[in-house]
Amino acid sequence: MLNLIIFGPPGAGKGTQSEKIIERYNLAHISTGDLLRAERNAGTELGNQANEFIKKGELVPDAVVIGMVRNFISSHSSAAGFIFDGFPRTVAQAGALDEMLHEFNAEVNVVLGLEVEEDELVKRLLLRGQTSGRADDQSEDTIRNRFREYQSKTLPLSAHYTSQGKYRSVQGIGELDVIFNALCTEIDVVKK
Ligand code: ADP
């Protein structure tokens, strides 16, 4: 199994690059943001509860997200591997992911961190908000709150994975294909 995490702040390009990566490496794509929005659009209780956090730019509680990822992995157990996009976002989520993969005798192989500075991120998110219909991309206050959540709860994971020798930093500004090639170079190193 090949398991990748695409890591980085909101607006770094995780979703865009994930789409390209799954095509080349035949992985199952798991975006917790997409799963949560699908739950909300379906009007499930989980989706409605999660939306209270999403619209404020806060992280959804760990137990909710971890349960959703566990269901996704069990229903895709024959996948050649996974790309985790927007997950894990906390140390507790990272621990839960290790346990889930352990059940498949698998592990996180590499964490690809997209580096983009904050001013560029705000621009990208506001632009995306004009067409995505995502309310959390339309207010600069909400966007700034998502960055605060990222800084305090998610960024510490880069140190966690660096200490495991799994973190690779990739420049996230520039041509999409140049960024994609840089990501592929890192993936090819760990791909057996
Ligand atoms: P972005 O990376 O642009 O913020 P996402 O679609 O990944 O967009 O996430 C949107 C929102 O969904 C987040 O702000 C958060 O409220 C919620 N969310 C997504 N993934 C997680 C997660 N792993 N843990 C907690 N909340 C999450």
Side-chain angles (χ1 to χ4, degrees):
M1 247 187 169
L2 177 67
N3 295 301
L4 318 175
I5 294 173
I6 188 134
F7 189 84
K14 302 185 295 290
T16 306
Q17 294 294 338
S18 293
E19 293 302 331
K20 295 163 81 74
I21 292 169
I22 55 171
E23 228 175 88
R24 177 166 307 182
Y25 296 95
N26 190 30
L27 303 173
H29 180 200
I30 169 156
S31 156
T32 44
D34 286 351
L35 290 177
L36 290 167
R37 281 185 291 275
E39 292 281 345
R40 179 201 58 200
N41 294 345
T44 67
E45 198 183 324
L46 185 156
N48 292 336
Q49 284 172 359
N51 198 39
E52 294 304 310
F53 297 91
I54 295 173
K55 68 185 187 198
K56 291 186 272 184
E58 292 172 10
L59 292 187
V60 171
D62 285 334
V64 173
V65 177
I66 291 167
M68 218 174 50
V69 172
R70 183 169 282 122
N71 288 341
F72 186 95
I73 292 181
S74 347
S75 61
H76 293 76
S77 55
S78 58
F82 294 92
I83 179 158
F84 296 92
D85 163 5
F87 181 89
R89 260 172 152 105
T90 62
V91 172
Q93 291 179 18
L97 178 59
D98 284 343
E99 280 170 27
M100 288 183 241
L101 292 176
H102 194 71
E103 287 170 29
F104 293 88
N105 271 329
E107 60 174 350
V108 171
N109 299 98
V110 68
V111 180
L112 304 160
L114 288 170
E115 305 285 339
V116 180
E117 75 244 10
E118 191 163 318
D119 285 351
E120 167 73 13
L121 295 168
V122 176
K123 264 192 258 162
R124 288 185 187 181
L125 290 169
L126 289 171
L127 193 68
R128 182 169 82 185
Q130 291 174 13
T131 52
S132 68
R134 279 180 56 173
D136 63 342
D137 285 344
Q138 288 171 24
S139 131
E140 195 159 336
D141 279 353
T142 310
I143 290 173
R144 297 277 177 203
N145 207 26
R146 282 153 69 198
F147 290 144
R148 275 195 289 278
E149 290 280 77
Y150 177 77
Q151 290 287 340
S152 63
K153 298 176 183 163
T154 308
L155 196 55
L157 290 181
S158 61
H160 171 84
Y161 288 114
T162 298
S163 72
Q164 295 180 6
K166 292 179 175 175
Y167 190 81
R168 304 284 178 274
S169 175
V170 173
Q171 169 65 256
I173 297 185
E175 292 282 326
L176 286 185
D177 281 330
V178 174
I179 300 168
F180 177 56
N181 286 334
L183 293 169
C184 291
T185 302
E186 297 296 348
I187 296 170
D188 291 338
V189 172
V190 296
K191 192 169 170 269
K192 289 158 198 126

